[in-house]
Amino acid sequence: MEDFETYISKLREADSPLVREMEEFAAEQRIPIMDRSGIETFIGLLRIQRPKLILEIGSAIGYSAIRMVSALKVASVVTIERDNERYAKAVEYINRSGFGDRITIIEGDALLLPDESLPNLQYDALFIDAAKGQYKRFFEKYSEHVAEGGIIYCDNMFMHGAVMIPDEEVPKRNRTMIRNLKEFTSWVMKHPNYETSLLPVGDGILVAVKKRD
Ligand SMILES: C[S@@+](CC[C@H](N)C(=O)[O-])C[C@H]1O[C@@H](n2cnc3c(N)ncnc32)[C@H](O)[C@@H]1O
Protein backbone atom coordinates (compact mmCIF):
# COMPACT_ATOMS: atom_id res chain seq x y z
CA MET A 1 0.00 0.00 0.00
CA GLU A 2 1.31 3.49 -0.84
CA ASP A 3 1.56 6.12 1.92
CA PHE A 4 -0.72 9.15 1.94
CA GLU A 5 2.05 11.50 0.77
CA THR A 6 2.56 9.45 -2.41
CA TYR A 7 -1.21 9.24 -2.90
CA ILE A 8 -1.56 13.05 -2.58
CA SER A 9 1.48 13.74 -4.80
CA LYS A 10 -0.11 11.76 -7.62
CA LEU A 11 -3.33 13.78 -7.39
CA ARG A 12 -1.62 17.17 -7.32
CA GLU A 13 -0.63 19.22 -10.30
CA ALA A 14 2.91 18.09 -11.19
CA ASP A 15 5.58 19.97 -9.23
CA SER A 16 7.77 22.19 -11.36
CA PRO A 17 11.19 20.75 -12.27
CA LEU A 18 12.75 23.50 -10.12
CA VAL A 19 10.73 22.47 -7.04
CA ARG A 20 11.77 18.84 -7.59
CA GLU A 21 15.40 19.88 -8.05
CA MET A 22 15.28 21.85 -4.78
CA GLU A 23 13.76 18.90 -2.90
CA GLU A 24 16.51 16.63 -4.25
CA PHE A 25 19.25 19.15 -3.46
CA ALA A 26 17.93 19.58 0.10
CA ALA A 27 17.79 15.80 0.62
CA GLU A 28 21.32 15.28 -0.75
CA GLN A 29 22.83 18.15 1.25
CA ARG A 30 20.76 17.37 4.37
CA ILE A 31 19.21 20.83 4.39
CA PRO A 32 16.00 20.80 6.40
CA ILE A 33 13.11 22.11 4.30
CA MET A 34 9.44 21.71 5.12
CA ASP A 35 8.26 18.14 4.50
CA ARG A 36 5.62 17.39 1.87
CA SER A 37 2.71 16.90 4.21
CA GLY A 38 3.66 20.06 6.14
CA ILE A 39 4.02 22.25 3.05
CA GLU A 40 0.80 20.88 1.52
CA THR A 41 -1.15 21.78 4.68
CA PHE A 42 0.62 25.13 5.13
CA ILE A 43 -0.15 26.18 1.55
CA GLY A 44 -3.77 25.13 2.02
CA LEU A 45 -3.99 27.34 5.13
CA LEU A 46 -2.40 30.27 3.29
CA ARG A 47 -4.87 29.88 0.43
CA ILE A 48 -7.68 30.23 2.96
CA GLN A 49 -6.04 33.18 4.73
CA ARG A 50 -4.90 34.94 1.51
CA PRO A 51 -2.10 37.02 3.04
CA LYS A 52 -0.61 39.69 0.80
CA LEU A 53 2.60 40.15 2.77
CA ILE A 54 4.42 37.31 4.48
CA LEU A 55 7.53 37.47 6.66
CA GLU A 56 9.53 34.26 6.96
CA ILE A 57 12.30 33.61 9.49
CA GLY A 58 14.56 30.87 8.10
CA SER A 59 14.72 30.71 4.29
CA ALA A 60 17.26 27.88 3.97
CA ILE A 61 17.49 27.52 0.14
CA GLY A 62 14.26 29.42 -0.55
CA TYR A 63 12.02 26.36 -0.97
CA SER A 64 9.07 27.43 1.21
CA ALA A 65 9.29 31.04 -0.04
CA ILE A 66 9.02 29.87 -3.65
CA ARG A 67 6.21 27.43 -2.80
CA MET A 68 4.28 30.22 -1.01
CA VAL A 69 4.44 32.78 -3.81
CA SER A 70 3.69 30.20 -6.49
CA ALA A 71 0.53 29.19 -4.60
CA LEU A 72 -0.67 32.74 -3.87
CA LYS A 73 -1.10 34.95 -6.92
CA VAL A 74 -0.69 38.32 -5.20
CA ALA A 75 1.49 37.54 -2.16
CA SER A 76 5.01 38.82 -1.54
CA VAL A 77 7.46 37.22 0.86
CA VAL A 78 10.29 38.78 2.86
CA THR A 79 12.56 36.02 4.13
CA ILE A 80 15.60 36.06 6.44
CA GLU A 81 18.52 33.59 6.43
CA ARG A 82 21.71 33.77 8.49
CA ASP A 83 23.75 31.00 6.84
CA ASN A 84 25.68 32.56 3.96
CA GLU A 85 25.92 29.41 1.81
CA ARG A 86 22.19 28.74 2.11
CA TYR A 87 21.47 32.40 1.47
CA ALA A 88 23.55 32.28 -1.75
CA LYS A 89 21.76 29.12 -2.89
CA ALA A 90 18.38 30.68 -2.08
CA VAL A 91 19.25 33.77 -4.17
CA GLU A 92 20.17 31.48 -7.07
CA TYR A 93 16.93 29.48 -6.82
CA ILE A 94 14.75 32.59 -6.37
CA ASN A 95 16.27 34.12 -9.52
CA ARG A 96 15.73 30.92 -11.45
CA SER A 97 12.13 30.66 -10.21
CA GLY A 98 11.17 33.95 -11.86
CA PHE A 99 9.68 35.18 -8.54
CA GLY A 100 12.50 37.61 -7.77
CA ASP A 101 10.03 40.51 -7.90
CA ARG A 102 7.90 38.96 -5.13
CA ILE A 103 10.56 37.51 -2.82
CA THR A 104 12.98 39.70 -0.89
CA ILE A 105 15.69 37.76 0.87
CA ILE A 106 17.73 39.33 3.67
CA GLU A 107 21.03 37.84 4.82
CA GLY A 108 21.50 38.06 8.57
CA ASP A 109 20.60 36.80 12.01
CA ALA A 110 16.89 37.53 12.50
CA LEU A 111 17.45 38.06 16.21
CA LEU A 112 19.99 40.82 15.60
CA LEU A 113 18.44 42.48 12.59
CA PRO A 114 17.36 46.09 13.16
CA ASP A 115 13.70 46.82 12.33
CA GLU A 116 14.81 49.27 9.63
CA SER A 117 16.08 46.30 7.56
CA LEU A 118 12.52 45.11 7.02
CA PRO A 119 11.03 46.50 3.82
CA ASN A 120 7.57 46.62 5.47
CA LEU A 121 6.56 47.11 9.08
CA GLN A 122 3.26 45.18 9.04
CA TYR A 123 2.72 41.67 7.68
CA ASP A 124 -0.42 39.55 7.29
CA ALA A 125 1.48 36.38 8.11
CA LEU A 126 4.68 35.49 9.93
CA PHE A 127 6.25 32.08 9.34
CA ILE A 128 8.79 31.04 11.97
CA ASP A 129 10.97 28.17 10.72
CA ALA A 130 14.46 28.86 12.11
CA ALA A 131 16.41 27.74 15.24
CA LYS A 132 13.89 25.70 17.23
CA GLY A 133 15.22 26.67 20.65
CA GLN A 134 14.71 30.36 19.84
CA TYR A 135 11.03 30.37 18.81
CA LYS A 136 9.93 32.47 21.78
CA ARG A 137 12.55 35.10 20.96
CA PHE A 138 11.51 35.20 17.28
CA PHE A 139 7.88 35.44 18.34
CA GLU A 140 8.55 38.25 20.80
CA LYS A 141 10.66 40.23 18.35
CA TYR A 142 8.49 39.87 15.26
CA SER A 143 4.89 39.52 16.50
CA GLU A 144 4.55 43.29 16.70
CA HIS A 145 4.97 43.31 12.91
CA VAL A 146 1.90 41.10 12.46
CA ALA A 147 -1.32 42.96 11.72
CA GLU A 148 -4.42 42.37 13.88
CA GLY A 149 -6.24 39.36 12.49
CA GLY A 150 -2.93 38.20 10.98
CA ILE A 151 -1.51 34.74 11.59
CA ILE A 152 1.76 33.42 12.98
CA TYR A 153 2.69 29.95 11.73
CA CYS A 154 5.52 27.87 13.25
CA ASP A 155 6.91 24.62 11.84
CA ASN A 156 8.58 21.64 13.58
CA MET A 157 6.59 21.97 16.79
CA PHE A 158 7.03 18.20 17.38
CA MET A 159 10.74 18.09 16.48
CA HIS A 160 10.24 14.65 14.99
CA GLY A 161 8.69 13.39 18.22
CA ALA A 162 11.40 14.66 20.58
CA VAL A 163 8.92 16.90 22.45
CA MET A 164 6.90 13.83 23.42
CA ILE A 165 9.62 11.82 25.12
CA PRO A 166 10.84 12.32 28.71
CA ASP A 167 13.59 14.96 29.07
CA GLU A 168 16.22 12.46 30.18
CA GLU A 169 15.72 10.39 26.99
CA VAL A 170 16.37 13.39 24.72
CA PRO A 171 20.03 13.33 23.58
CA LYS A 172 21.97 15.74 25.83
CA ARG A 173 23.01 18.02 22.95
CA ASN A 174 19.33 18.70 22.10
CA ARG A 175 17.92 18.97 25.62
CA THR A 176 17.96 22.76 26.00
CA MET A 177 16.53 23.27 22.52
CA ILE A 178 13.68 20.81 23.15
CA ARG A 179 12.98 22.27 26.59
CA ASN A 180 12.80 25.78 25.07
CA LEU A 181 10.50 24.58 22.32
CA LYS A 182 8.15 22.94 24.85
CA GLU A 183 8.15 26.05 27.05
CA PHE A 184 7.39 28.21 24.02
CA THR A 185 4.52 25.90 23.04
CA SER A 186 2.77 26.05 26.41
CA TRP A 187 3.41 29.81 26.63
CA VAL A 188 1.97 30.59 23.20
CA MET A 189 -1.02 28.26 23.59
CA LYS A 190 -2.06 30.32 26.63
CA HIS A 191 -1.17 33.73 25.18
CA PRO A 192 -4.19 35.99 25.72
CA ASN A 193 -3.66 37.95 22.47
CA TYR A 194 -3.74 34.90 20.19
CA GLU A 195 -6.12 32.08 19.34
CA THR A 196 -3.78 29.19 18.84
CA SER A 197 -4.04 25.67 17.41
CA LEU A 198 -1.35 23.03 17.17
CA LEU A 199 -2.01 20.94 14.07
CA PRO A 200 -0.79 17.33 14.06
CA VAL A 201 0.40 17.44 10.42
CA GLY A 202 3.90 17.22 8.99
CA ASP A 203 6.23 17.85 11.92
CA GLY A 204 3.56 19.83 13.82
CA ILE A 205 2.40 23.25 12.63
CA LEU A 206 1.34 25.91 15.11
CA VAL A 207 -1.23 28.45 13.94
CA ALA A 208 -1.68 31.53 16.15
CA VAL A 209 -4.29 34.06 15.02
CA LYS A 210 -3.69 37.55 16.43
CA LYS A 211 -6.88 38.78 18.08
CA ARG A 212 -8.34 42.11 17.07
CA ASP A 213 -8.69 44.64 19.88
C1 LIG B 1 14.24 24.55 8.71
S1 LIG B 1 15.28 25.60 7.82
C2 LIG B 1 14.16 26.61 6.91
C3 LIG B 1 13.44 25.85 5.85
C4 LIG B 1 12.60 26.69 4.91
N1 LIG B 1 11.67 27.51 5.64
C5 LIG B 1 11.84 25.76 3.99
O1 LIG B 1 10.91 25.06 4.44
O2 LIG B 1 12.19 25.74 2.79
C6 LIG B 1 15.82 26.71 9.05
C7 LIG B 1 16.79 27.79 8.56
O3 LIG B 1 16.80 28.84 9.53
C8 LIG B 1 18.08 29.40 9.54
N2 LIG B 1 18.21 30.12 10.83
C9 LIG B 1 18.34 29.59 12.07
N3 LIG B 1 18.39 30.56 12.99
C10 LIG B 1 18.32 31.74 12.32
C11 LIG B 1 18.34 33.10 12.71
N4 LIG B 1 18.49 33.45 13.99
N5 LIG B 1 18.23 34.05 11.75
C12 LIG B 1 18.10 33.71 10.45
N6 LIG B 1 18.08 32.43 10.01
C13 LIG B 1 18.18 31.46 10.93
C14 LIG B 1 19.02 28.20 9.40
O4 LIG B 1 20.28 28.59 8.91
C15 LIG B 1 18.22 27.32 8.42
O5 LIG B 1 18.66 27.49 7.09
Side-chain angles (χ1 to χ4, degrees):
M1 194 173 79
E2 62 192 14
D3 60 26
F4 67 83
E5 291 197 0
T6 314
Y7 178 70
I8 294 170
S9 302
K10 285 188 187 161
L11 290 169
R12 269 193 333 193
E13 223 176 276
D15 286 326
S16 73
L18 185 72
V19 163
R20 280 204 303 274
E21 183 186 323
M22 292 177 83
E23 287 171 350
E24 279 162 21
F25 179 81
E28 274 161 22
Q29 302 292 320
R30 298 172 154 268
I31 295 171
I33 58 169
M34 219 172 175
D35 62 44
R36 278 177 167 262
S37 110
I39 195 93
E40 191 74 23
T41 309
F42 181 43
I43 281 173
L45 294 170
L46 290 174
R47 283 188 174 125
I48 297 167
Q49 187 204 350
R50 295 168 159 229
K52 290 206 170 62
L53 263 180
I54 304 168
L55 176 62
E56 175 183 61
I57 318 290
S59 344
I61 56 169
Y63 175 78
S64 49
I66 290 172
R67 295 293 310 267
M68 286 189 266
V69 294
S70 32
L72 302 166
K73 285 204 171 60
V74 294
S76 296
V77 172
V78 174
T79 180
I80 307 170
E81 175 56 52
R82 72 174 175 193
D83 179 289
N84 55 4
E85 280 180 25
R86 290 182 185 175
Y87 166 82
K89 201 69 195 166
V91 170
E92 179 195 319
Y93 279 130
I94 291 164
N95 289 338
R96 284 178 57 199
S97 74
F99 289 121
D101 55 339
R102 292 207 276 140
I103 302 175
T104 304
I105 180 160
I106 299 172
E107 184 180 11
D109 185 329
L111 291 171
L112 304 176
L113 216 62
D115 272 6
E116 305 81 77
S117 318
L118 293 178
N120 307 84
L121 288 179
Q122 285 281 284
Y123 293 82
D124 307 304
L126 167 65
F127 177 37
I128 302 177
D129 190 19
K132 311 302 160 193
Q134 306 290 332
Y135 272 20
K136 188 163 183 242
R137 293 179 68 201
F138 294 127
F139 193 101
E140 285 177 329
K141 180 166 161 59
Y142 287 99
S143 53
E144 64 170 304
H145 296 295
V146 177
E148 286 182 4
I151 305 185
I152 301 180
Y153 302 91
C154 304
D155 190 31
N156 303 112
M157 297 304 295
F158 298 156
M159 266 318 276
H160 315 289
V163 297
M164 288 153 223
I165 58 179
D167 258 15
E168 57 282 7
E169 285 174 33
V170 175
K172 268 204 174 115
R173 65 180 184 283
N174 293 338
R175 244 175 238 173
T176 307
M177 181 254 288
I178 296 298
R179 201 175 301 137
N180 286 353
L181 182 62
K182 286 165 80 168
E183 277 170 19
F184 164 71
T185 310
S186 38
W187 173 81
V188 73
M189 297 291 285
K190 288 188 224 117
H191 199 304
N193 301 340
Y194 292 85
E195 286 170 322
T196 305
S197 316
L198 182 48
L199 307 183
V201 288
D203 192 25
I205 300 179
L206 185 113
V207 180
V209 181
K210 193 174 198 172
K211 290 182 189 169
R212 293 172 199 276
D213 269 346

